[in-house]
Amino acid sequence: NARFEYITQTLLPKPTDTQDEIKGKMKGLALVLDLDPSGIGGGILQNKPSSGSVGSNQRPPLSSFSIGAK
């Protein structure tokens, strides 16, 4: 029970977590579950943003979204 509560209350990502926090929680969860954490953090989110693009911890400005159907 204590291990389950620790996992659900501490290691599961929350909607307010940054990408770096989520990656850290996933690595911690992998360690608690005796899994290999080396594959965590790959994929699209790990790619370096090109100049002018939004980083993984930033949100695009609201003005960049169009409103209404076309």
Side-chain angles (χ1 to χ4, degrees):
N1 267 345
R3 184 177 183 190
F4 179 77
E5 285 185 27
Y6 173 75
I7 290 170
T8 57
Q9 294 177 4
T10 308
L11 294 179
L12 292 182
K14 295 176 178 47
T16 56
D17 290 343
T18 64
Q19 292 295 321
D20 288 336
E21 289 173 323
I22 292 171
K23 287 178 192 175
K25 287 183 176 187
M26 292 290 97
K27 288 179 182 180
L29 185 58
L31 292 174
V32 167
L33 298 176
D34 296 324
L35 300 172
D36 180 16
S38 64
I40 296 172
I44 296 171
L45 295 177
Q46 191 169 346
N47 293 340
K48 292 181 182 177
S50 59
S51 63
S53 67
V54 177
S56 63
N57 289 330
Q58 298 175 344
R59 295 183 179 171
L62 291 176
S63 61
S64 68
F65 296 97
S66 61
I67 299 175
K70 292 186 178 184

